[in-house]
Amino acid sequence: MAAASGGGRWWRAAAGLARAVSTAGGGRAAAEEGLRAEELAERLRAQRSQGEKRERPGDPAQRRVRELAALSKRLQQVHPNVLAKVLKQGTLYQDEEIVAINKPYGLPVHGGPGIKNSIADVLPILAKMLENMKAEPLHLCHRLDKETTGVMVLARNKEVAERIRLLFKTRQVEKIYWAISLGDPDPAEGIVEIPIVEKEVQSHQSHYKMTLAPNYRLSLEDGKVVKIRKNRNAESAVTRYRCLASSSACSLLELQPITGVKHQIRVHLAYGLGCPVLGDHKYSHWSKLAPQKLPEITLKRLKLEQSKARHLPLHLHAHRLSLPLGRRIDLVCKPPLFFQKTLKKLDLDVANE
């Protein structure tokens, strides 16, 4: 109310100034000055009103969405030393061979056009912060999508990095993800085994997406399963899944990708099970680039308007990673705060997990 009354005082003062200018001398120039002052006052009042609407305090969910977007932007603007310090604070485990970090939301693993900061860029700084100024730069062993959070393993030297990459390649690393999905998978537990391929989407705005390339289809004549020719560019993709909780037209899923194809979990959930990851605007539609359409009950629980759904973050988290390095190392990372708050709002209870 203070801001509103202050705005009213400013408007009355500006309008008074306009009248004073227009009557003093009675000339044409004075009248024009008065008109400009009134226009300025009107414009400033409109801007103040818009600011108050945007910052209305009764919208905590939308405020958190904006804060998360701002955090992702800030990670691209901070000095590399500051980013390395953030990663150091999120260290989950370290020994003489590896360092495990908690990857933040919105931070890319690799650099590229338009990317100022990435995990790869600050590995030399992070190594010095964790060990000493003569430390060898840390090495990437695998990758996570920019919007995915959670456990990420770094190696202290090239030899260890090569060993870990081989473990990933030969599927000896057990990876467990958590995802909040739209809808309930049917059946509630199972395995999706459908190859994946990258294709160009022909639309008014052409773009590329990963999609399913199944080896079988249903015959239109008799409904029988028919084997079809394999797409030579498709990669084998296998994902084990289990529903941990369901509520508010959403589910919390535990996912174990057996293979490691690009966007595998997102594609298998969206196109294989019809349950896209909450906040996955890329794979919620095929032929268009548009915000994810959320059920009314989900919007109500999240206190979110559909028009703001485009800002909803991807709810995909690398929860656990089990690494056989001489002995089995189990690395666990709890979901980020925004993920936990969404679980609570949607009444997805995971107390026993």
Side-chain angles (χ1 to χ4, degrees), residues 261-295:
V261 180
K262 178 183 175 182
H263 296 172
Q264 175 178 317
I265 289 175
R266 296 164 66 183
V267 172
H268 273 174
L269 287 185
Y271 302 149
L273 292 170
C275 298
V277 178
L278 181 66
D280 193 349
H281 309 290
K282 184 181 181 78
Y283 290 107
S284 290
H285 313 276
W286 168 250
S287 61
K288 59 183 179 179
L289 292 168
Q292 189 176 57
K293 179 72 174 173
L294 301 178

Side-chain angles (χ1 to χ4, degrees), residues 3-238:
S5 62
R9 285 195 300 272
W10 203 97
W11 159 246
R12 285 193 294 273
L17 173 65
R19 285 192 296 273
V21 172
S22 64
T23 54
R28 183 177 176 182
E32 287 177 355
E33 284 294 327
L35 185 61
R36 279 199 292 272
E38 284 196 30
E39 288 175 351
L40 175 62
E42 182 66 37
R43 194 176 302 126
L44 286 171
R45 187 173 70 163
Q47 288 175 356
R48 184 180 291 273
S49 175
Q50 280 297 107
E52 287 166 6
K53 284 180 184 176
R54 279 197 299 270
E55 296 180 19
R56 193 170 293 155
D59 225 348
Q62 294 186 26
R63 187 173 66 247
R64 282 199 298 274
V65 166
R66 289 197 301 271
E67 286 171 354
L68 195 62
L71 173 63
S72 179
K73 192 175 180 180
R74 281 201 303 275
L75 287 173
Q76 286 298 303
Q77 296 171 340
V78 300
H79 191 277
N81 286 0
V82 177
L83 180 56
K85 191 173 181 180
V86 170
L87 296 179
K88 181 189 175 185
Q89 290 170 346
T91 301
L92 303 169
Y93 172 87
Q94 59 176 314
D95 60 22
E96 66 279 359
E97 291 187 317
I98 67 167
V99 174
I101 60 171
N102 178 6
K103 181 193 166 298
Y105 176 87
L107 181 63
V109 172
H110 296 282
I115 295 175
K116 182 181 177 183
N117 280 330
S118 70
I119 290 178
D121 293 332
V122 299
L123 291 182
I125 305 169
L126 180 59
K128 289 177 172 62
M129 285 184 176
L130 289 170
E131 197 170 337
N132 58 57
M133 293 304 290
K134 295 181 180 179
E136 180 184 344
L138 294 163
H139 300 266
L140 294 170
C141 302
H142 62 119
R143 67 183 298 275
L144 293 174
D145 290 344
K146 176 183 173 182
E147 296 86 3
T148 304
T149 59
V151 182
M152 186 165 190
V153 176
L154 308 169
R156 289 195 184 273
N157 59 60
K158 289 181 180 179
E159 292 73 22
V160 174
E162 288 299 322
R163 280 168 55 201
I164 294 174
R165 287 173 196 146
L166 184 61
L167 291 174
F168 273 97
K169 189 176 180 180
T170 54
R171 303 174 188 175
Q172 295 182 60
V173 179
E174 185 179 305
K175 301 164 286 183
I176 301 294
Y177 288 74
W178 276 7
I180 300 177
S181 72
L182 290 182
D184 308 325
D186 184 19
E189 184 174 347
I191 297 174
V192 181
E193 187 172 0
I194 309 175
I196 291 175
V197 69
E198 188 170 36
K199 283 187 178 179
E200 183 178 6
V201 180
Q202 299 293 341
S203 66
H204 69 285
Q205 188 179 355
S206 292
H207 56 284
Y208 285 86
K209 282 185 182 178
M210 307 303 287
T211 189
L212 302 178
N215 293 327
Y216 299 89
R217 66 172 177 83
L218 289 176
S219 170
L220 296 175
E221 290 78 25
D222 53 16
K224 290 183 178 179
V225 176
V226 180
K227 189 173 176 62
I228 58 178
R229 179 191 284 184
K230 184 177 180 180
N231 186 319
R232 68 176 67 182
N233 297 317
E235 295 183 72
S236 173
V238 183

Side-chain angles (χ1 to χ4, degrees), residues 294-309:
L294 301 178
E296 281 299 322
I297 187 172
T298 307
L299 289 169
K300 186 177 179 181
R301 288 287 181 88
L302 293 176
K303 293 188 172 76
L304 196 66
E305 298 170 12
Q306 179 59 46
S307 61
K308 307 293 185 191

Side-chain angles (χ1 to χ4, degrees), residues 303-320:
K303 293 188 172 76
L304 196 66
E305 298 170 12
Q306 179 59 46
S307 61
K308 307 293 185 191
R310 68 185 181 277
H311 299 301
L312 199 65
L314 184 76
H315 285 68
L316 180 60
H317 175 71
H319 178 57
R320 185 165 67 84

